[in-house]
Amino acid sequence: MMHGVKGYIFDYGGTLDTAGCHWGKVLWYAYQRQQIPVTEQQFRDAYVYGERTLGNSPIIKPDFTFYRTLDVKIRLEMEWLCEHGAWNANLEEFNQAHDAVLEDVYAFVKKNTAHSREVLTRLVQDYPMVLVSNFYGNVEVVLREFEFDKFFKSVVESAVVGIRKPDARIFKIGVERLGLDAEDVVVVGDSFYKDIEPARKIGCKTVWFKGEGWTDKLYDESLPDRVITDLNQL
């Protein structure tokens, strides 16, 4: 597969920060570790509400760090749980639980981003790289927070360019910013339908970073050029 490869496009969320694990699962496991007394279905409903709210409203500002973004995300979820009768927490319990989940998840992300930096440090010596991400308009701040900003020739963020994955046009922009032909570019992402399928449509090579998904849906693993379970395998 690597024959003729001249550059890389990386996804961010789920790929560089959670080792392929869907963000919903990352948060749910933190809720369990911190013993938040809700069911997984209740959490899932709260998670979907939070993601839709952040996607539809400009709550996350361009200068927000990931820590602050995560703070807001968890607060939205937990407020929904309380408002819908899933969790009867008083203010003190709410704040303690919120802070516990926030610190838990942030520590997890710091560990995974450190590992990702090690891999990107090696790759950038031989390949130009671009980031293509569905994010809230603050991904460049997040990249600086985790020391990723030095790796990428350009950043293509959905909130900035007005195109969201799985729309393949966002990957076309990434290829153009690399200044390469699509067949010479490898796209690495954790989402089969948001990363792998649209990248293949425009002729890129693809590497699926297969972690734990949001659902148990099965995908045709013969479609990506490679399937990995650790970025080191690149």
Side-chain angles (χ1 to χ4, degrees):
M1 184 200 76
M2 299 311 296
H3 178 70
V5 172
K6 297 178 181 177
Y8 278 86
I9 290 176
F10 277 89
D11 166 56
Y12 178 72
T15 299
L16 298 180
D17 57 359
T18 68
C21 187
H22 188 280
W23 257 103
K25 287 290 189 178
V26 170
L27 285 159
W28 168 239
Y29 292 143
Y31 273 59
Q32 289 184 298
R33 287 191 295 269
Q34 301 306 324
Q35 300 180 343
I36 312 302
V38 297
T39 67
E40 184 172 4
Q41 187 56 57
Q42 288 168 334
F43 164 76
R44 282 175 170 262
D45 292 342
Y47 175 81
V48 170
Y49 162 79
E51 291 305 298
R52 286 177 178 168
T53 300
L54 293 178
N56 295 329
S57 306
I59 298 171
I60 305 301
K61 305 303 180 185
D63 63 343
F64 276 24
T65 62
F66 183 73
Y67 186 87
R68 191 170 179 186
T69 302
L70 188 59
D71 180 334
V72 172
K73 186 190 293 278
I74 294 168
R75 189 169 298 279
L76 282 172
E77 294 167 359
M78 290 186 168
E79 286 174 349
W80 187 95
L81 289 166
C82 290
E83 290 168 1
H84 287 77
W87 182 29
N88 184 27
N90 62 38
L91 182 59
E92 182 180 1
E93 291 169 338
F94 181 98
N95 288 332
Q96 287 178 349
H98 169 274
D99 293 349
V101 172
L102 173 60
E103 297 302 331
D104 182 319
V105 175
Y106 195 71
F108 173 80
V109 169
K110 285 179 70 176
K111 177 182 177 181
N112 282 297
T113 51
H115 177 62
S116 296
R117 282 198 305 273
E118 293 175 0
V119 176
L120 295 184
T121 297
R122 298 196 296 272
L123 282 177
V124 77
Q125 296 176 26
D126 299 308
Y127 301 98
M129 298 188 291
V130 163
L131 189 88
V132 173
S133 177
N134 283 353
F135 221 75
Y136 309 111
N138 63 324
V139 77
E140 303 236 26
V141 173
V142 173
L143 293 178
R144 289 195 295 272
E145 182 178 1
F146 295 119
E147 302 175 50
F148 284 129
D149 51 311
K150 60 188 175 182
F151 297 120
F152 297 106
K153 179 178 180 181
S154 184
V155 174
V156 185
E157 183 179 7
S158 61
V160 175
V161 300
I163 303 170
R164 287 182 63 82
K165 304 174 188 178
D167 190 326
R169 292 177 298 164
I170 197 169
F171 287 104
K172 283 186 177 181
I173 296 172
V175 170
E176 290 167 2
R177 293 191 183 178
L178 279 170
L180 299 172
D181 294 327
E183 58 265 29
D184 297 330
V185 175
V186 175
V187 172
V188 182
D190 70 296
S191 175
F192 199 93
Y193 81 97
K194 288 183 179 178
D195 298 317
I196 304 308
E197 290 179 345
R200 288 186 74 252
K201 285 180 182 177
I202 65 167
C204 293
K205 295 179 174 64
T206 55
V207 173
W208 183 28
F209 190 175
K210 184 183 177 183
E212 186 172 4
W214 183 236
T215 69
D216 295 328
K217 182 176 179 178
L218 298 177
Y219 294 97
D220 183 355
E221 295 188 17
S222 69
L223 290 179
D225 294 278
R226 288 289 185 273
V227 179
I228 63 173
T229 53
D230 189 302
L231 280 186
N232 263 330
Q233 293 166 338
L234 290 175

